[in-house]
Amino acid sequence: MNALKILFVSPEVDPFVKVGGLADMAGSLPKGLAALGHDVRVVCPYYGLARERPGWTALEETLGVDVGPRALWARTWRTTLPGSRVPVYLIEHDAFFARGGVYDGPWGPHGDNDLRFAFLCRAALALCQQLRWIPDVAHGHDWTTGLLPVLLNTTLRATELGRVASVFTIHNLEHQGYANPRVLDFARIPRSEFRPDSVESFGSVNMMKAGLYHSTKLTTVSPTYAREIRTPEGGWGLDPVLRFRGGDLIGILNGIDTTVWNPATDRLLAARYDEGDLRGKALCKAALREETGLAADADAPVFGVVSRLASQKGLDLLAAALPRVMEEMRVQFVILGTGDAGLQDAFSGLAARHRGRLAARIGYSNELSHRIQAGSDFFVMPSRAEPCGLTQMYAMNYGTPPIVRATGGLADTVEQYAEGKGLGTGFLFGEASARALYYTIGWACSTFYDRPADLAALRANGMRKDFSWNRSAERYEEVYRWAVEARRRA
Ligand code: ADP
Ligand code: GLC
């Protein structure tokens, strides 16, 4: 089979810039595709202010980007994804990108997010023209890249880019990118697209909807989420569009980067371990307790949380369940997260009340996130909705059975524990309530104290599972070929 040329455009790419799991996905799937022999190139904004980095080179030619009344200019930095030869092009244009947060500033979302990401889409395509590298497929992710397929279908249809097929991946339908129609003029997309069966929604441009209408094929990050978003309960108002395009939409589970998330090689840990020898995991638990100020209570299980503190993640259920859990059970908790101010306060308050038993680290720390995965006995993720979720897969690979609500990718990746049978990889519950979470934490706790053989089996089952990109990269390859074929016939 011939190799494909794949343009991969994302607002976040690990390790260059990361807000959530999209960065992990965008930093790892391209490596999986390259391993299959494809020519994949990643484009992402350059948000930093520091210029040169080791191994980065600036392209000699300035990039002219056809937006607004006159073209704007950008500089392009080229580097590679670590551990691979996959090129990454970082687009530097300070007026749009050189600022603190990727999406948000201190007062909420940046007011010009529509223009910033329209610029990214237009720049990615201009770069292809400049490099004289015309991809077979342009693959965008979430609302920030929603205008990419619109440009291919309209403004650029008559150019050499007009035959490029598009694939659009939904990582989270909750954020849709509502914008003033001025963004169309800025991107030089005809105003005739401002209609409900294209980019318009309630008098605004909906950039997510634009991607859903215009892309040749659609994917989302788990089969269960692919079903959920077709229903009014899970569709965030776009379920009619997703039903309309249902035949072009499939769910493909994310993989994880096992060169980064592997307890046998992870240099961020106090000790390394694998399925055959868990002594290192015990050392990681002791080190985690010391680092976070938890008492060295040899018997108690440690429950870990690493999460954005957003309503999607269901951590209000945990905050509500914890007072009773802490009172009735001999357990310890370590919580790492940042986001919603109310939740930050709730967890800090609980930590103050349960010193030595409950530690809350409000903030972002990649290092601590690895150490929590390794040093905990259980990983708690009670999401209300979870398109895929990566942290539960990291947890299972680190021998830390997750406690999750059965939704989206959590339902697809975690297998329910069957008591006394040594089956399963974690604990699932259905009802989004503090009560259901409380009982499930209790179930995990009693497994820790009363059924150590079962717990050992759960750990081993999770560690044996293959969550790497091997399978899913092949599924994306199929979708790309399917899209190329459909574009050719269009
Ligand atoms: P989402 O993308 O919805 O946040 P995922 O589970 O797909 O959820 O991915 C979250 C990613 O962000 C994981 O790599 C996780 O380790 C990381 N992460 C989330 N919060 C923090 C934090 N406070 N500190 C460090 N890493 C975090
Ligand atoms: C989104 C989703 C998360 C998913 C990630 C990567 O941030 O919330 O469930 O794992 O994208 O696809």
Side-chain angles (χ1 to χ4, degrees):
M1 286 270 232
N2 60 321
L4 293 166
K5 293 201 205 67
I6 305 152
L7 169 70
F8 202 96
V9 185
S10 173
E12 15 174 328
V13 179
D14 187 62
F16 306 103
V17 55
K18 167 163 162 177
V19 177
L22 169 55
D24 301 44
M25 194 267 199
S28 54
L29 169 59
K31 295 200 268 186
L33 293 166
L36 296 175
H38 301 297
D39 177 5
V40 47
R41 305 190 185 189
V42 180
V43 176
C44 161
Y46 174 52
Y47 301 97
L49 287 161
R51 304 284 149 180
E52 314 271 340
R53 299 273 183 94
W56 291 29
T57 48
L59 299 196
E60 239 163 67
E61 233 180 299
T62 311
L63 185 66
V65 185
D66 288 332
V67 286
R70 298 175 304 279
L72 293 177
W73 300 94
R75 176 145 67 152
T76 315
W77 293 92
R78 187 185 186 282
T79 180
T80 49
L81 285 180
S84 79
R85 296 215 296 246
V86 175
V88 180
Y89 298 93
L90 297 127
I91 307 292
E92 178 181 340
H93 183 83
D94 285 354
F96 283 142
F97 298 131
R99 43 180 106 158
V102 171
Y103 310 107
D104 302 311
W107 299 279
H110 298 305
D112 57 352
N113 272 347
D114 53 341
L115 307 185
R116 299 170 71 222
F117 293 111
F119 181 81
L120 170 67
C121 295
R122 201 67 183 80
L125 296 171
L127 180 66
C128 294
Q129 289 170 314
Q130 188 189 62
L131 298 173
R132 296 191 209 307
W133 180 81
I134 304 305
D136 298 298
V137 193
H139 187 175
H141 301 268
D142 272 356
W143 68 268
T144 56
T145 58
L147 296 184
L148 199 66
V150 187
L151 287 162
L152 295 173
N153 288 351
T154 59
T155 318
L156 299 170
R157 187 65 168 134
T159 71
E160 71 272 41
L161 289 167
R163 65 172 175 78
V164 177
S166 49
V167 170
F168 184 76
T169 298
I170 304 162
H171 293 262
N172 193 339
L173 204 57
E174 194 178 334
H175 306 289
Q176 299 184 0
Y178 272 94
N180 188 289
R182 68 175 178 168
V183 71
L184 300 178
D185 310 330
F186 177 77
R188 303 193 187 170
I189 291 168
R191 276 283 179 140
S192 53
E193 292 305 316
F194 193 62
R195 41 170 224 273
D197 60 342
S198 181
V199 308
E200 191 268 349
S201 198
F202 301 110
S204 293
V205 169
N206 179 325
M207 291 172 66
M208 177 70 93
K209 180 176 174 182
L212 300 182
Y213 257 108
H214 280 269
S215 296
T216 321
K217 297 292 172 189
L218 304 172
T219 73
T220 186
V221 288
S222 70
T224 296
Y225 195 63
R227 284 193 300 277
E228 289 170 348
I229 56 179
R230 281 176 234 222
T231 66
E233 295 75 34
W236 294 94
L238 287 178
D239 48 294
V241 183
L242 288 160
R243 287 195 295 276
F244 172 68
R245 295 237 39 204
D248 294 310
L249 164 69
I250 64 164
I252 304 176
L253 268 181
N254 285 331
I256 67 172
D257 189 334
T258 47
T259 62
V260 178
W261 294 96
N262 179 351
T265 56
D266 192 334
R267 293 275 140 210
L268 298 171
L269 307 184
R272 274 141 295 281
Y273 59 92
D274 57 31
E275 187 208 320
D277 182 355
L278 287 173
R279 279 175 301 179
K281 187 167 172 68
L283 295 175
C284 290
K285 179 170 172 179
L288 176 66
R289 281 173 158 159
E290 196 170 318
E291 179 176 358
T292 57
L294 292 179
D297 177 349
D299 266 359
V302 173
F303 291 70
V305 174
V306 177
S307 183
R308 291 185 293 117
L309 300 182
S311 65
Q312 174 206 342
K313 300 292 177 182
L315 290 168
D316 53 314
L317 306 178
L318 180 63
L322 272 173
R324 202 171 152 200
V325 167
M326 297 311 288
E327 191 185 308
E328 296 175 4
M329 301 179 205
R330 184 162 165 202
V331 293
Q332 295 180 326
F333 269 79
V334 49
I335 298 164
L336 169 65
T338 173
D340 181 273
L343 283 172
Q344 295 187 168
D345 289 351
F347 289 126
S348 300
L350 283 158
R353 272 196 294 289
H354 300 282
R355 249 180 243 294
R357 292 184 62 214
L358 192 154
R361 289 282 174 278
I362 304 305
Y364 185 93
S365 165
N366 182 50
E367 289 79 13
L368 184 56
S369 77
H370 283 245
R371 299 202 269 261
I372 290 176
Q373 294 285 8
S376 302
D377 294 292
F378 301 101
F379 186 82
V380 185
M381 198 169 177
S383 307
R384 292 175 193 282
E386 197 60 73
C388 179
L390 299 172
T391 46
Q392 82 280 10
M393 293 194 258
Y394 300 154
M396 286 184 274
N397 258 209
Y398 280 64
T400 308
I403 296 169
V404 303
R405 199 173 88 75
T407 180
L410 298 176
D412 292 340
T413 54
V414 182
E415 286 165 42
Q416 182 68 297
Y417 163 44
E419 240 177 80
K421 298 203 179 82
L423 296 176
T425 58
F427 302 81
L428 292 128
F429 63 98
E431 189 184 279
S433 71
R435 202 181 54 149
L437 176 59
Y438 160 82
Y439 282 119
T440 314
I441 291 172
W443 187 22
C445 187
S446 72
T447 306
F448 180 88
Y449 286 114
D450 305 336
R451 293 178 296 282
D454 274 13
L455 179 57
L458 280 180
R459 287 195 203 287
N461 295 344
M463 293 183 86
R464 266 199 292 271
K465 282 200 103 173
D466 178 9
F467 293 113
S468 72
W469 273 106
N470 295 345
R471 264 171 55 85
S472 293
E474 281 174 15
R475 302 290 317 278
Y476 275 100
E477 173 179 341
E478 280 167 23
V479 174
Y480 295 148
R481 295 201 189 281
W482 184 34
V484 167
E485 192 51 41
R487 187 70 169 176
R488 197 168 291 147
R489 278 187 273 107

